[in-house]
Amino acid sequence: MADLSTTYMGIALKNPVTVAACSLSCKVENILRAEEAGAGALVIRSLFEEQIRHETGELDAALAKGSESYAEALSYFPAISHGEAKEHLFWVGRTREATKMPLIASLNAVSPGNWVAYAKQLADTGVDGLELNYYRVEADMTRDGLSAELQMLDIVASVRASVKLPIAVKLSPFYTSVGNVIQKLDEIGVNGAVMFNRFLQPEIDPDKETVLHEMTYSTSAEMRVPLRWIGLLYGKHSLDMAANTGIMEARDVVKALLAGATVVQVASTLFRNGIGHLTSLRDGLNAWMDSKSYASIEDFRGKLSQQGFEGDSVMFERAQYLDFLMSRQRWVKA
Ligand SMILES: Cc1cc2nc3c(=O)[nH]c(=O)nc-3n(C[C@H](O)[C@H](O)[C@H](O)COP(=O)(O)O)c2cc1C
């Protein structure tokens, strides 16, 4: 049996298969089930700004306008009126008492004051780390990319200055330079990057002529985006990278680790296959390591990353792209 243990942001984990923030963690029995099934750690579903504002009576025009952030909150918490901030904090504390498994609390705020205030309160519940779910769809055409990034970095820096716990930022894949954002987070003292957040994609029903904000589960193919970025950036900064989105099977866990991920986070595959699927992810990883005679994760983590690649990464990516396009042309018959 291989040694699957690892550390994520300085937190010791039995294995790198962790549960992503999602509504599975609404119930303590699900969390205990995940622990029993072998989860290395669990990120508790987010505390959303909308819950905070609801509690303080400030849930205002943003709600009526149906901002992107609210749409996400709605799909995760259809009964938002029953999920205010105090209740969430109380419940995170109860979860902490119920399990020894490493727990990470997640926060999705909007206003800078709430980010700091609630990060502190979540830290006081006794969780092992914090995940900042910076979910923002920039729909304002007058705002440029740099100011959007600086706003995010400012907020993260304020939280960093206020709590001692390890902090991960759940990132969007849509930055022009993901690597540069990670480098700046590194300078601020952030410990982990979750790659990547999966934004709610609105759908249109042409028959009813309505916009649907329904949650769909991810597919394996979506894993290619985190895989690429983790592989490109491994070894170039000091953040631990959590691979997230599209990890379905044990082979996907192996791929993420080969690219350089410290842990994987899973949600959709647990909704599809049940919480017990965590056991097959962990055992499948173990079986693969045994078949390759790897004694520990460190023996192969990042083996297929671009660390040590001396050439020009941009040209390398272009070469792969051209190779793909050229070979496609050969396949297609006129
Ligand atoms: C039902 C459901 C609820 C979710 N709730 C949250 C949440 O509260 N906070 C968060 O950061 N992400 C949330 N997510 C997103 C997941 O953490 C994860 O980033 C996303 O589902 C991609 O991972 P996957 O491909 O394994 O599903 C949720 C996802 C699902 C399916």
Side-chain angles (χ1 to χ4, degrees):
M1 169 112 182
D3 176 10
L4 302 187
S5 65
T6 191
T7 55
Y8 174 53
M9 305 197 290
I11 308 165
L13 311 190
K14 285 184 184 160
N15 70 73
V17 180
T18 73
V19 181
C22 68
S23 37
L24 279 179
S25 50
C26 288
K27 290 189 179 154
V28 173
E29 63 249 42
N30 284 349
I31 295 176
L32 296 180
R33 176 81 192 95
E35 183 175 28
E36 187 193 337
L42 179 140
V43 186
I44 299 172
R45 66 178 175 155
S46 304
L47 169 61
F48 285 89
E49 170 105 6
E50 285 73 9
Q51 292 172 276
I52 299 165
R53 289 163 78 188
H54 182 86
E55 187 165 273
T56 55
E58 289 173 42
L59 196 56
D60 54 10
L63 244 157
K65 275 197 254 161
S67 73
E68 286 293 342
S69 164
Y70 177 62
E72 184 190 54
L74 246 195
S75 66
Y76 295 164
F77 292 103
I80 202 161
S81 58
H82 301 298
E84 292 92 344
K86 276 201 194 88
E87 225 174 288
H88 186 94
L89 288 163
F90 171 76
W91 178 83
V92 173
R94 260 197 61 209
T95 308
R96 174 65 298 171
E97 285 162 19
T99 171
K100 293 204 164 42
M101 173 174 50
L103 288 178
I104 294 170
S106 166
L107 178 60
N108 173 306
V110 177
S111 54
N114 278 338
W115 276 106
V116 171
Y118 282 88
K120 281 186 186 163
Q121 295 190 54
L122 284 168
D124 288 343
T125 60
V127 289
D128 302 279
L130 277 185
E131 189 173 288
L132 307 181
N133 169 14
Y134 192 83
Y135 183 106
R136 199 182 150 100
V137 176
E138 295 296 343
D140 177 356
M141 290 175 70
T142 62
R143 235 163 95 84
D144 64 24
L146 182 60
S147 53
E149 281 178 24
L150 289 176
Q151 185 185 27
M152 186 272 279
L153 292 166
D154 263 4
I155 286 169
V156 174
S158 317
V159 175
R160 175 67 294 171
S162 326
V163 296
K164 292 204 170 68
L165 282 184
I167 294 177
V169 179
K170 193 167 188 179
L171 287 176
S172 156
F174 302 122
Y175 290 109
T176 306
S177 171
V178 177
N180 184 259
V181 170
I182 290 192
Q183 186 174 303
K184 289 187 173 137
L185 291 173
D186 203 356
E187 285 161 15
I188 290 172
V190 166
N191 312 90
V194 181
M195 296 161 72
F196 291 104
N197 214 342
R198 185 166 180 264
F199 291 162
L200 182 68
Q201 310 289 359
E203 173 61 303
I204 287 183
D205 180 337
D207 300 324
K208 294 189 183 143
E209 296 185 35
T210 51
V211 178
L212 308 169
H213 285 293
E214 59 195 20
M215 189 78 205
T216 53
Y217 298 136
S218 63
T219 60
S220 273
E222 292 175 58
M223 192 197 165
R224 299 281 183 98
V225 175
L227 207 57
R228 156 187 274 170
W229 282 108
I230 290 169
L232 276 174
L233 301 176
Y234 177 74
K236 296 183 179 156
H237 56 87
S238 59
L239 271 67
D240 283 340
M241 293 182 283
N244 181 219
T245 294
I247 294 151
M248 301 290 147
E249 301 299 336
R251 283 178 75 78
D252 300 333
V253 177
V254 171
K255 289 182 206 174
L257 297 173
L258 281 168
T262 305
V263 294
V264 301
Q265 291 189 352
V266 292
S268 292
T269 195
L270 304 183
F271 284 99
R272 285 210 185 89
N273 303 307
I275 298 174
H277 189 57
L278 286 162
T279 311
S280 35
L281 297 179
R282 182 201 57 192
D283 292 353
L285 167 64
N286 186 50
W288 178 85
M289 285 172 67
D290 282 349
S291 75
K292 300 277 180 183
S293 304
Y294 287 129
S296 77
I297 307 264
E298 292 317 317
D299 290 349
F300 67 95
R301 193 200 309 283
K303 192 173 172 184
L304 299 186
S305 71
Q306 277 212 20
Q307 193 186 30
F309 175 68
E310 300 287 332
D312 178 336
S313 296
V314 175
M315 292 315 287
F316 177 79
E317 285 279 315
R318 276 190 62 81
Q320 305 298 312
Y321 178 55
L322 280 179
D323 185 43
F324 168 78
L325 292 184
M326 299 302 194
S327 54
R328 267 288 149 118
Q329 279 170 16
R330 286 200 294 272
W331 299 336
V332 177
K333 288 189 183 137

